[in-house]
Amino acid sequence: PEPERPDQLCEERDLKKNLQRGLAQMPKPHRRALLLYYSEHLNHNELAPLLGLSPAGAKDHLNKGRRYLRHHLTKLESRYARR
């Protein structure tokens, strides 16, 4: 594998920082659902009792969290594009 270029490393670092910032700003129930889903690899049925929700409710929290992050990152991307 090729070594990563410095600009790639900077982009990855910025993305990670922006993801962390977006997670910190989103509503806690959506953040918790996303973190459990992606870090613990739980499915909707496994998430539901941990969140005190139905499986459909857990899925809804995940979708809202993803939309929040997408909006957060898109907003940042448009700021960088204007520079």
Coordinates of all heavy atoms in Angstrom, one line a residue:
P1 N 0.8 -1.2 0.0 CA 0.0 0.0 0.0 C 0.9 1.3 0.0 O 1.9 1.3 0.6 CB -0.8 -0.1 1.3 CG -0.4 -1.4 2.0 CD 0.6 -2.0 1.2
E2 N 0.4 2.2 -0.7 CA 1.1 3.5 -0.8 C 1.0 4.3 0.5 O -0.1 4.2 1.2 CB 0.5 4.4 -1.9 CG 0.8 3.9 -3.3 CD 0.3 4.9 -4.3 OE1 0.3 6.1 -4.1 OE2 -0.2 4.4 -5.4
P3 N 2.0 5.0 0.9 CA 1.9 5.8 2.1 C 0.9 7.0 1.8 O 0.8 7.4 0.7 CB 3.3 6.4 2.3 CG 4.0 6.1 1.1 CD 3.3 5.0 0.3
E4 N 0.2 7.4 2.8 CA -0.7 8.5 2.7 C 0.0 9.8 2.5 O 1.0 10.1 3.1 CB -1.7 8.6 3.9 CG -2.5 7.3 4.0 CD -3.6 7.5 5.0 OE1 -4.4 8.5 4.9 OE2 -3.7 6.7 5.9
R5 N -0.6 10.6 1.6 CA 0.0 12.0 1.4 C -0.4 12.9 2.5 O -1.5 12.7 3.2 CB -0.5 12.5 0.1 CG -0.1 11.7 -1.1 CD -0.5 12.3 -2.5 NE -1.7 13.2 -2.4 CZ -2.9 12.9 -3.0 NH1 -3.0 11.8 -3.7 NH2 -3.9 13.8 -2.9
P6 N 0.4 13.9 2.8 CA 0.0 14.9 3.9 C -1.4 15.5 3.7 O -2.1 15.6 4.7 CB 1.1 15.9 3.8 CG 2.3 15.2 3.2 CD 1.7 14.2 2.2
D7 N -1.8 15.8 2.5 CA -3.1 16.4 2.3 C -4.2 15.4 2.7 O -5.2 15.8 3.2 CB -3.3 17.0 0.9 CG -3.1 15.9 -0.2 OD1 -2.3 15.0 0.0 OD2 -3.8 16.1 -1.2
Q8 N -4.0 14.1 2.4 CA -5.0 13.1 2.8 C -5.1 13.0 4.3 O -6.2 12.9 4.8 CB -4.6 11.8 2.2 CG -4.8 11.6 0.7 CD -4.3 10.3 0.2 OE1 -3.2 9.8 0.6 NE2 -5.1 9.7 -0.7
L9 N -3.9 13.0 4.9 CA -3.9 13.0 6.4 C -4.7 14.1 7.0 O -5.4 14.0 8.0 CB -2.5 12.9 6.9 CG -1.7 11.6 6.6 CD1 -0.3 11.7 7.0 CD2 -2.4 10.4 7.3
C10 N -4.5 15.3 6.5 CA -5.2 16.5 6.9 C -6.7 16.4 6.7 O -7.4 16.8 7.6 CB -4.6 17.8 6.3 SG -3.0 18.2 6.8
E11 N -7.1 15.9 5.6 CA -8.5 15.8 5.3 C -9.1 14.8 6.2 O -10.2 15.0 6.7 CB -8.7 15.3 3.8 CG -8.5 16.4 2.8 CD -8.7 15.9 1.4 OE1 -9.4 14.9 1.2 OE2 -8.1 16.5 0.5
E12 N -8.5 13.7 6.5 CA -9.0 12.7 7.4 C -9.1 13.2 8.8 O -10.1 13.0 9.5 CB -8.1 11.4 7.4 CG -8.3 10.6 6.2 CD -7.3 9.4 6.1 OE1 -6.9 8.9 7.2 OE2 -7.1 8.9 5.0
R13 N -8.1 14.0 9.2 CA -8.1 14.6 10.6 C -9.2 15.6 10.7 O -10.0 15.6 11.7 CB -6.7 15.3 10.8 CG -6.6 15.8 12.3 CD -5.4 16.6 12.5 NE -5.5 17.8 11.8 CZ -4.5 18.3 11.0 NH1 -3.4 17.6 10.9 NH2 -4.6 19.4 10.3
D14 N -9.4 16.4 9.6 CA -10.5 17.4 9.6 C -11.9 16.7 9.7 O -12.8 17.1 10.4 CB -10.4 18.3 8.4 CG -9.3 19.3 8.5 OD1 -8.7 19.5 9.6 OD2 -9.0 19.9 7.5
L15 N -12.0 15.6 8.9 CA -13.3 14.9 8.9 C -13.6 14.3 10.2 O -14.7 14.4 10.8 CB -13.3 13.8 7.8 CG -14.5 12.9 7.7 CD1 -15.7 13.7 7.4 CD2 -14.3 11.8 6.7
K16 N -12.6 13.7 10.9 CA -12.8 13.1 12.2 C -13.2 14.2 13.2 O -14.1 14.0 14.0 CB -11.5 12.4 12.6 CG -11.6 11.5 13.8 CD -10.3 10.8 14.1 CE -10.0 9.7 13.1 NZ -8.9 8.9 13.5
K17 N -12.5 15.3 13.1 CA -12.8 16.4 14.0 C -14.2 16.9 13.8 O -15.0 17.2 14.8 CB -11.8 17.6 13.8 CG -12.0 18.7 14.8 CD -10.9 19.8 14.6 CE -10.9 20.4 13.2 NZ -10.0 21.5 13.0
N18 N -14.6 17.1 12.6 CA -16.0 17.6 12.2 C -17.1 16.5 12.6 O -18.1 16.9 13.0 CB -16.1 18.0 10.8 CG -15.3 19.2 10.5 OD1 -15.2 20.1 11.3 ND2 -14.7 19.3 9.3
L19 N -16.8 15.3 12.5 CA -17.7 14.2 12.9 C -17.9 14.3 14.4 O -19.0 14.2 14.9 CB -17.2 12.8 12.5 CG -17.5 12.4 11.1 CD1 -16.8 11.1 10.8 CD2 -19.0 12.3 10.8
Q20 N -16.8 14.4 15.1 CA -16.9 14.5 16.6 C -17.7 15.8 17.0 O -18.5 15.7 17.9 CB -15.5 14.5 17.2 CG -14.8 13.2 17.1 CD -13.3 13.3 17.6 OE1 -12.7 14.3 17.6 NE2 -12.8 12.1 17.9
R21 N -17.4 16.9 16.3 CA -18.2 18.1 16.7 C -19.7 17.9 16.4 O -20.5 18.3 17.2 CB -17.6 19.2 15.8 CG -18.0 20.6 16.3 CD -17.3 21.7 15.6 NE -15.9 21.7 16.0 CZ -14.9 22.0 15.2 NH1 -15.1 22.4 13.9 NH2 -13.6 22.1 15.6
G22 N -20.0 17.3 15.2 CA -21.4 17.1 14.9 C -22.1 16.1 15.9 O -23.2 16.4 16.3
L23 N -21.4 15.1 16.3 CA -21.9 14.2 17.3 C -22.2 14.9 18.6 O -23.2 14.7 19.3 CB -21.0 13.0 17.5 CG -21.0 11.9 16.5 CD1 -19.8 11.0 16.7 CD2 -22.3 11.2 16.5
A24 N -21.2 15.8 19.0 CA -21.4 16.5 20.3 C -22.5 17.4 20.3 O -23.1 17.7 21.3 CB -20.1 17.2 20.6
Q25 N -22.9 18.0 19.1 CA -24.0 19.0 19.0 C -25.3 18.3 18.8 O -26.3 19.0 19.0 CB -23.7 19.9 17.9 CG -22.5 20.8 18.1 CD -22.1 21.6 16.9 OE1 -22.7 21.6 15.9 NE2 -21.0 22.4 17.1
M26 N -25.4 17.1 18.4 CA -26.7 16.5 18.1 C -27.4 16.1 19.4 O -26.8 16.0 20.4 CB -26.6 15.3 17.2 CG -26.2 14.0 17.8 SD -26.3 12.6 16.7 CE -25.6 13.1 15.2
P27 N -28.8 16.0 19.3 CA -29.5 15.6 20.5 C -29.0 14.2 21.1 O -28.6 13.3 20.3 CB -31.0 15.4 20.0 CG -31.0 16.3 18.8 CD -29.6 16.2 18.2
K28 N -28.9 14.2 22.4 CA -28.3 13.0 23.1 C -28.9 11.7 22.7 O -28.1 10.7 22.4 CB -28.3 13.2 24.6 CG -27.6 12.2 25.3 CD -27.6 12.5 26.8 CE -26.8 11.4 27.6 NZ -26.7 11.7 29.0
P29 N -30.2 11.5 22.6 CA -30.8 10.2 22.2 C -30.3 9.8 20.8 O -30.1 8.6 20.6 CB -32.3 10.5 22.2 CG -32.5 11.7 23.1 CD -31.3 12.5 22.9
H30 N -30.2 10.7 19.9 CA -29.7 10.3 18.5 C -28.2 10.0 18.5 O -27.8 9.0 17.9 CB -30.0 11.4 17.5 CG -31.5 11.8 17.5 ND1 -31.9 13.1 17.2 CD2 -32.6 11.1 17.7 CE1 -33.2 13.2 17.3 NE2 -33.6 11.9 17.5
R31 N -27.5 10.7 19.3 CA -26.0 10.4 19.4 C -25.8 9.0 20.0 O -25.0 8.2 19.6 CB -25.4 11.5 20.3 CG -23.9 11.2 20.5 CD -23.2 12.3 21.3 NE -23.7 12.6 22.6 CZ -24.3 13.8 22.9 NH1 -24.4 14.8 22.0 NH2 -24.8 13.9 24.1
R32 N -26.6 8.8 21.1 CA -26.4 7.5 21.8 C -26.8 6.3 20.8 O -26.1 5.3 20.8 CB -27.3 7.4 23.0 CG -27.2 6.2 23.8 CD -27.8 6.4 25.2 NE -27.6 5.2 26.0 CZ -28.5 4.4 26.5 NH1 -29.8 4.8 26.5 NH2 -28.2 3.4 27.2
A33 N -27.9 6.5 20.1 CA -28.3 5.4 19.1 C -27.2 5.2 18.1 O -26.8 4.1 17.8 CB -29.6 5.8 18.4
L34 N -26.6 6.3 17.5 CA -25.5 6.1 16.5 C -24.3 5.5 17.1 O -23.7 4.6 16.5 CB -25.2 7.5 15.9 CG -26.1 8.1 14.9 CD1 -25.6 9.5 14.5 CD2 -26.2 7.2 13.7
L35 N -23.9 5.9 18.3 CA -22.7 5.4 18.9 C -22.8 3.9 19.2 O -21.9 3.1 18.9 CB -22.3 6.2 20.1 CG -21.8 7.6 19.8 CD1 -21.6 8.3 21.2 CD2 -20.6 7.6 19.0
L36 N -24.0 3.5 19.7 CA -24.2 2.1 20.0 C -24.2 1.3 18.7 O -23.7 0.2 18.6 CB -25.5 1.9 20.8 CG -25.4 2.3 22.3 CD1 -26.8 2.3 22.9 CD2 -24.5 1.4 23.1
Y37 N -24.9 1.8 17.7 CA -25.1 1.1 16.5 C -23.7 0.8 15.8 O -23.4 -0.3 15.4 CB -26.0 1.9 15.5 CG -26.3 1.2 14.2 CD1 -27.2 0.2 14.1 CD2 -25.6 1.6 13.1 CE1 -27.5 -0.5 12.9 CE2 -25.9 0.9 11.9 CZ -26.8 -0.1 11.8 OH -27.1 -0.7 10.6
Y38 N -22.9 1.9 15.7 CA -21.6 1.8 14.9 C -20.5 1.3 15.8 O -19.6 0.6 15.3 CB -21.3 3.1 14.3 CG -22.2 3.5 13.1 CD1 -23.2 4.4 13.2 CD2 -22.1 2.8 11.9 CE1 -24.0 4.7 12.1 CE2 -22.9 3.0 10.8 CZ -23.9 4.0 11.0 OH -24.7 4.2 9.9
S39 N -20.4 1.6 17.1 CA -19.3 1.2 17.8 C -19.5 -0.2 18.4 O -18.5 -1.0 18.6 CB -18.9 2.2 18.9 OG -19.9 2.3 19.9
E40 N -20.7 -0.5 18.8 CA -21.0 -1.8 19.4 C -21.6 -2.8 18.4 O -21.9 -4.0 18.7 CB -22.0 -1.7 20.6 CG -21.4 -0.7 21.7 CD -20.2 -1.2 22.3 OE1 -20.0 -2.5 22.5 OE2 -19.3 -0.4 22.7
H41 N -21.9 -2.3 17.2 CA -22.4 -3.2 16.1 C -23.7 -3.9 16.5 O -23.9 -5.0 16.3 CB -21.4 -4.2 15.7 CG -20.0 -3.6 15.3 ND1 -19.8 -2.9 14.2 CD2 -18.9 -3.6 16.0 CE1 -18.5 -2.4 14.2 NE2 -18.0 -2.8 15.3
L42 N -24.6 -3.1 17.1 CA -25.9 -3.6 17.5 C -26.9 -3.3 16.4 O -26.9 -2.2 15.7 CB -26.4 -2.9 18.8 CG -25.5 -3.1 20.0 CD1 -26.0 -2.3 21.2 CD2 -25.3 -4.5 20.4
N43 N -27.9 -4.2 16.2 CA -28.9 -3.9 15.2 C -30.1 -3.2 15.9 O -30.1 -3.0 17.1 CB -29.3 -5.2 14.5 CG -30.0 -6.2 15.4 OD1 -30.7 -5.9 16.3 ND2 -29.7 -7.5 15.2
H44 N -31.1 -2.9 15.1 CA -32.3 -2.1 15.7 C -32.9 -2.9 16.8 O -33.3 -2.2 17.8 CB -33.3 -1.9 14.6 CG -32.7 -1.2 13.4 ND1 -32.5 -1.9 12.2 CD2 -32.3 0.0 13.2 CE1 -32.0 -1.0 11.3 NE2 -31.8 0.1 11.9
N45 N -33.1 -4.2 16.7 CA -33.7 -5.0 17.7 C -32.9 -5.0 19.0 O -33.5 -5.0 20.1 CB -34.0 -6.4 17.3 CG -35.1 -6.4 16.2 OD1 -36.0 -5.7 16.2 ND2 -34.8 -7.2 15.2
E46 N -31.6 -5.0 18.9 CA -30.7 -5.0 20.1 C -30.6 -3.6 20.7 O -30.5 -3.5 21.9 CB -29.3 -5.5 19.7 CG -29.3 -6.9 19.2 CD -28.0 -7.3 18.5 OE1 -27.4 -6.4 17.8 OE2 -27.6 -8.5 18.7
L47 N -30.7 -2.6 19.9 CA -30.7 -1.2 20.4 C -31.9 -0.8 21.1 O -31.9 -0.1 22.1 CB -30.6 -0.2 19.2 CG -29.3 0.1 18.6 CD1 -29.4 1.0 17.4 CD2 -28.4 0.8 19.6
A48 N -33.1 -1.3 20.6 CA -34.4 -0.8 21.2 C -34.5 -0.9 22.7 O -34.8 0.1 23.3 CB -35.5 -1.6 20.5
P49 N -34.2 -2.0 23.3 CA -34.3 -2.1 24.8 C -33.3 -1.2 25.5 O -33.6 -0.6 26.6 CB -34.1 -3.5 25.2 CG -33.5 -4.2 24.0 CD -33.9 -3.3 22.8
L50 N -32.1 -1.0 25.0 CA -31.1 -0.1 25.6 C -31.6 1.3 25.5 O -31.2 2.1 26.4 CB -29.8 -0.3 24.9 CG -29.1 -1.7 24.9 CD1 -27.9 -1.7 24.1 CD2 -28.8 -2.0 26.4
L51 N -32.3 1.7 24.5 CA -32.8 3.1 24.4 C -34.2 3.3 24.9 O -34.7 4.4 25.0 CB -32.8 3.4 22.9 CG -31.4 3.4 22.2 CD1 -31.6 3.6 20.7 CD2 -30.4 4.3 22.8
G52 N -34.8 2.2 25.4 CA -36.2 2.3 25.9 C -37.2 2.6 24.8 O -38.2 3.3 25.0
L53 N -36.9 2.0 23.6 CA -37.7 2.3 22.4 C -38.1 1.0 21.8 O -37.6 -0.1 22.0 CB -36.9 3.1 21.4 CG -36.4 4.5 21.8 CD1 -35.4 5.0 20.8 CD2 -37.6 5.4 22.0
S54 N -39.1 1.1 20.9 CA -39.4 0.0 20.0 C -38.3 -0.1 18.9 O -37.6 0.8 18.7 CB -40.8 0.2 19.3 OG -40.7 1.3 18.4
P55 N -38.2 -1.3 18.2 CA -37.3 -1.4 17.1 C -37.5 -0.3 16.1 O -36.5 0.3 15.6 CB -37.5 -2.7 16.5 CG -38.0 -3.5 17.7 CD -38.9 -2.6 18.5
A56 N -38.7 0.1 15.8 CA -39.0 1.2 14.8 C -38.5 2.5 15.4 O -38.0 3.3 14.7 CB -40.5 1.2 14.5
G57 N -38.7 2.7 16.7 CA -38.2 4.0 17.3 C -36.7 4.0 17.3 O -36.1 5.1 17.1
A58 N -36.0 2.9 17.5 CA -34.5 2.9 17.5 C -34.1 3.2 16.0 O -33.1 4.0 15.9 CB -34.0 1.5 17.9
K59 N -34.8 2.7 15.1 CA -34.4 2.9 13.7 C -34.6 4.4 13.3 O -33.8 5.0 12.7 CB -35.3 2.1 12.7 CG -34.9 2.1 11.3 CD -35.7 1.1 10.5 CE -35.2 1.0 9.1 NZ -35.9 0.0 8.3
D60 N -35.7 5.0 13.9 CA -36.0 6.4 13.7 C -34.9 7.3 14.3 O -34.5 8.3 13.7 CB -37.4 6.8 14.3 CG -37.8 8.2 14.0 OD1 -37.8 8.6 12.8 OD2 -38.0 8.9 15.0
H61 N -34.4 6.9 15.5 CA -33.4 7.7 16.1 C -32.1 7.6 15.3 O -31.4 8.6 15.1 CB -33.1 7.2 17.5 CG -34.0 7.8 18.6 ND1 -35.3 7.7 18.5 CD2 -33.6 8.4 19.7 CE1 -35.8 8.3 19.6 NE2 -34.8 8.8 20.3
L62 N -31.8 6.5 14.7 CA -30.6 6.3 13.9 C -30.7 7.2 12.6 O -29.8 7.9 12.3 CB -30.4 4.9 13.4 CG -29.9 3.9 14.5 CD1 -30.0 2.5 14.0 CD2 -28.4 4.2 14.8
N63 N -31.9 7.2 12.0 CA -32.1 7.9 10.8 C -32.0 9.4 11.1 O -31.4 10.2 10.3 CB -33.4 7.6 10.1 CG -33.4 6.2 9.5 OD1 -32.4 5.8 9.0 ND2 -34.5 5.6 9.4
K64 N -32.6 9.9 12.2 CA -32.5 11.3 12.5 C -31.0 11.7 12.8 O -30.6 12.8 12.5 CB -33.4 11.6 13.7 CG -34.9 11.6 13.3 CD -35.7 11.9 14.5 CE -37.2 11.9 14.0 NZ -38.1 12.1 15.2
G65 N -30.3 10.8 13.5 CA -28.9 11.1 13.8 C -28.1 11.2 12.5 O -27.2 12.1 12.4
R66 N -28.3 10.3 11.6 CA -27.6 10.3 10.3 C -27.9 11.6 9.5 O -27.0 12.2 9.0 CB -28.0 9.1 9.5 CG -27.4 7.8 10.0 CD -27.8 6.7 9.1 NE -27.4 5.4 9.7 CZ -28.3 4.4 9.9 NH1 -29.6 4.5 9.6 NH2 -27.9 3.3 10.4
R67 N -29.2 12.0 9.5 CA -29.6 13.2 8.8 C -28.9 14.4 9.4 O -28.5 15.3 8.7 CB -31.1 13.4 8.8 CG -31.8 12.7 7.7 CD -33.2 13.2 7.5 NE -34.0 13.1 8.7 CZ -34.8 12.1 9.0 NH1 -34.9 11.0 8.3 NH2 -35.5 12.2 10.1
Y68 N -28.9 14.4 10.8 CA -28.2 15.5 11.5 C -26.7 15.6 11.0 O -26.3 16.7 10.7 CB -28.3 15.3 13.0 CG -27.8 16.5 13.8 CD1 -28.6 17.5 14.2 CD2 -26.4 16.6 14.0 CE1 -28.2 18.6 14.9 CE2 -25.9 17.7 14.7 CZ -26.8 18.7 15.2 OH -26.3 19.8 15.8
L69 N -26.0 14.5 11.1 CA -24.6 14.5 10.7 C -24.4 14.9 9.2 O -23.5 15.7 8.9 CB -24.0 13.2 10.9 CG -23.5 12.9 12.3 CD1 -22.9 11.5 12.4 CD2 -22.5 13.9 12.8
R70 N -25.3 14.4 8.4 CA -25.2 14.7 6.9 C -25.4 16.2 6.7 O -24.6 16.9 6.0 CB -26.3 14.0 6.1 CG -26.1 14.1 4.6 CD -27.1 13.2 3.9 NE -27.2 11.9 4.4 CZ -28.3 11.3 4.9 NH1 -29.4 12.0 5.1 NH2 -28.3 10.1 5.3
H71 N -26.4 16.8 7.4 CA -26.6 18.3 7.3 C -25.4 19.0 7.9 O -25.0 20.0 7.3 CB -27.9 18.6 8.1 CG -28.2 20.1 8.2 ND1 -28.6 20.8 7.1 CD2 -28.0 21.0 9.2 CE1 -28.7 22.1 7.4 NE2 -28.4 22.2 8.7
H72 N -24.9 18.6 9.0 CA -23.7 19.3 9.7 C -22.5 19.3 8.7 O -21.9 20.3 8.5 CB -23.4 18.6 11.0 CG -22.2 19.1 11.7 ND1 -22.2 20.2 12.4 CD2 -20.9 18.6 11.7 CE1 -21.0 20.4 12.9 NE2 -20.2 19.4 12.5
L73 N -22.2 18.1 8.1 CA -21.1 18.0 7.3 C -21.3 18.7 5.9 O -20.3 19.3 5.4 CB -20.7 16.5 7.0 CG -20.2 15.8 8.3 CD1 -20.1 14.3 7.9 CD2 -19.0 16.4 8.8
T74 N -22.5 18.7 5.4 CA -22.8 19.4 4.2 C -22.6 20.9 4.4 O -22.1 21.6 3.5 CB -24.2 19.1 3.7 OG1 -24.3 17.7 3.5 CG2 -24.5 19.8 2.4
K75 N -23.1 21.4 5.5 CA -23.0 22.8 5.8 C -21.5 23.2 5.9 O -21.1 24.3 5.4 CB -23.7 23.1 7.2 CG -24.0 24.5 7.4 CD -24.9 24.7 8.6 CE -24.4 24.3 9.9 NZ -25.2 24.6 11.0
L76 N -20.7 22.4 6.5 CA -19.2 22.7 6.6 C -18.6 22.6 5.3 O -17.7 23.5 5.0 CB -18.5 21.7 7.6 CG -18.8 21.8 9.0 CD1 -18.2 20.6 9.8 CD2 -18.3 23.1 9.6
E77 N -19.0 21.7 4.5 CA -18.4 21.5 3.1 C -18.7 22.8 2.3 O -17.8 23.3 1.6 CB -19.0 20.3 2.4 CG -18.4 20.0 1.1 CD -19.0 18.7 0.5 OE1 -20.2 18.5 0.6 OE2 -18.2 18.0 -0.1
S78 N -19.9 23.3 2.4 CA -20.2 24.5 1.6 C -19.4 25.7 2.1 O -19.1 26.6 1.3 CB -21.7 24.8 1.7 OG -22.1 25.2 2.9
R79 N -19.1 25.8 3.4 CA -18.3 26.9 3.9 C -16.9 26.8 3.3 O -16.3 27.8 2.9 CB -18.2 26.8 5.4 CG -19.3 27.4 6.1 CD -19.0 27.5 7.6 NE -20.2 27.4 8.4 CZ -20.3 27.0 9.6 NH1 -19.3 26.6 10.2 NH2 -21.5 27.0 10.2
Y80 N -16.3 25.5 3.3 CA -15.0 25.4 2.7 C -14.9 25.7 1.3 O -13.9 26.2 0.7 CB -14.4 23.9 3.0 CG -14.0 23.7 4.4 CD1 -14.7 22.7 5.2 CD2 -13.0 24.4 5.0 CE1 -14.3 22.5 6.5 CE2 -12.6 24.2 6.3 CZ -13.3 23.3 7.1 OH -12.9 23.0 8.4
A81 N -16.0 25.3 0.5 CA -16.0 25.5 -0.9 C -16.0 27.0 -1.3 O -15.5 27.4 -2.3 CB -17.3 24.9 -1.5
R82 N -16.6 27.8 -0.4 CA -16.6 29.3 -0.6 C -15.3 30.0 -0.4 O -15.1 31.1 -0.8 CB -17.6 30.0 0.3 CG -19.1 29.7 -0.2 CD -20.0 30.5 0.6 NE -20.8 29.5 1.4 CZ -21.3 29.8 2.6 NH1 -21.2 30.9 3.1 NH2 -21.9 28.8 3.2
R83 N -14.3 29.3 0.2 CA -13.0 29.9 0.5 C -12.2 30.0 -0.7 O -12.1 29.4 -1.6 CB -12.3 29.1 1.5 CG -12.9 29.3 2.9 CD -12.1 28.5 3.9 NE -12.7 28.6 5.2 CZ -12.1 28.1 6.3 NH1 -11.0 27.4 6.2 NH2 -12.7 28.3 7.4

